[in-house]
Amino acid sequence: MQDSSNNTTHFGFKEIPTDEKVDAVAQVFHSVAAKYDIMNDLMSGGVHRLWKMHTINQSGVRAGNKVLDIAGGTGDLTLRFSRIVGSTGQVILADINDSMLKVGRDKLANKGVVGNVKFAQANAEALPFADNTFDCITIAFGLRNVTDKDAALRSMYRVLKPGGRLLVLEFSKPESECLSTIYDQYSFRLLPFMGKIIANDSESYRYLAESIRMHPDQETLKGMMDSAGFERTSYQNLTGGIVALHKGFKY
């Protein structure tokens, strides 16, 4: 959480000036962008693809819809959404990091995705879109990197159409102590080692592990969505709570 009393916020386990976090996170993702997809597969054993597919299935998106994929990175969700919305719909892949956007743009072009996808470099805290624009908004593994999560959720609510839904897919708190202990060992020992071997960057992956621990737990995030105005908020734990899918509607 941001500490308004001394204008600092967390960057992993560190406290840094709030106005430095965007640049600090940007450096992490500039560093990992080229190896991002490979590391995702290795880190999760490919299970991240199942988490994302479940998010797609829960989105309610159909032909002709307009979808915003925030922190869309290398475009996994955008690729699938573009096929669902078809020629009469549109998907906007938004990311604050230009390195990730470039990787996503190239990846989607290589997959033959053209016409119904646009790209936007945007900060989730102040989305550059008109009110009531999107039928569905997703943010997958990106909210924990946002400095002011409450502002971001309010911004998402603003640009969502009445009747639309937000889906937040994010690492969360394991349901059992045993799983939590195993997950900690994996996160703080194996993950930085894999980052060093595959991406030549152990520090960025140490930050990513720390950022997961600093992210609000399931109930806290649900409450934050309620406060932002979302209704019928709920969450579903995936893989024992290592990941949770939060859902909220705008009416």
Side-chain angles (χ1 to χ4, degrees):
M1 294 287 185
Q2 183 176 335
D3 184 347
S4 57
S5 63
N6 60 12
N7 206 30
T8 63
T9 189
H10 63 80
F11 177 71
F13 291 161
K14 301 175 185 176
E15 286 287 322
I16 64 172
T18 299
D19 59 6
E20 293 180 8
K21 182 166 181 176
V22 168
D23 287 339
V25 172
Q27 289 305 311
V28 169
F29 284 93
H30 286 315
S31 176
V32 305
K35 300 289 187 181
Y36 189 77
D37 283 343
I38 294 172
M39 282 296 293
N40 274 354
D41 280 331
L42 289 174
M43 288 188 300
S44 71
V47 178
H48 76 99
R49 299 178 183 274
L50 300 179
W51 296 331
K52 291 171 181 174
M53 184 57 69
H54 182 68
T55 302
I56 297 286
N57 292 338
Q58 292 293 307
S59 71
V61 169
R62 58 186 184 275
N65 279 176
K66 190 165 186 177
V67 178
L68 176 61
D69 182 15
I70 300 174
T74 59
D76 283 349
L77 292 179
T78 293
L79 174 63
R80 293 172 174 84
F81 279 134
S82 71
R83 293 169 176 167
I84 295 171
V85 302
S87 59
T88 60
Q90 185 181 66
V91 184
I92 295 180
L93 192 164
D95 203 294
I96 197 171
N97 188 277
D98 62 330
S99 294
M100 295 292 284
L101 277 177
K102 289 173 183 174
V103 173
R105 187 182 290 111
D106 290 346
K107 176 179 171 180
L108 293 174
N110 289 337
K111 297 282 188 180
V113 176
V114 294
N116 67 351
V117 174
K118 291 187 176 181
F119 301 86
Q121 187 170 356
N123 187 332
E125 297 173 27
L127 293 167
F129 308 109
D131 295 359
N132 307 320
T133 297
F134 298 98
D135 299 285
C136 180
I137 298 174
T138 58
I139 179 167
F141 305 115
L143 187 61
R144 72 181 187 279
N145 297 308
V146 175
T147 304
D148 190 337
K149 297 173 180 61
D150 293 302
L153 290 168
R154 291 192 299 269
S155 186
M156 294 175 209
Y157 183 85
R158 179 184 63 79
V159 303
L160 194 64
K161 290 180 181 178
R165 71 184 72 186
L166 167 69
L167 295 106
V168 180
L169 181 67
E170 188 55 89
F171 291 107
S172 200
K173 307 302 178 187
E175 296 173 279
S176 75
E177 286 299 322
C178 180
L179 180 59
S180 183
T181 300
I182 294 170
Y183 187 44
D184 279 347
Q185 291 295 314
Y186 166 78
S187 298
F188 294 111
R189 293 179 181 271
L190 187 57
L191 191 55
F193 176 75
M194 291 169 63
K196 181 176 179 59
I197 297 300
I198 304 299
N200 195 31
D201 185 352
S202 61
E203 286 305 308
S204 289
Y205 284 93
R206 183 170 289 109
Y207 157 74
L208 292 174
E210 292 176 359
S211 71
I212 292 169
R213 298 309 184 278
M214 298 301 293
H215 185 66
D217 65 19
Q218 289 91 325
E219 284 292 334
T220 302
L221 179 54
K222 181 180 181 298
M224 292 167 67
M225 292 173 66
D226 290 337
S227 296
F230 291 96
E231 299 182 44
R232 288 175 55 200
T233 56
S234 62
Y235 63 85
Q236 180 181 7
N237 285 324
L238 307 174
T239 316
I242 288 175
V243 165
L245 177 63
H246 282 71
K247 185 189 302 182
F249 295 83
K250 177 178 178 177
Y251 293 110

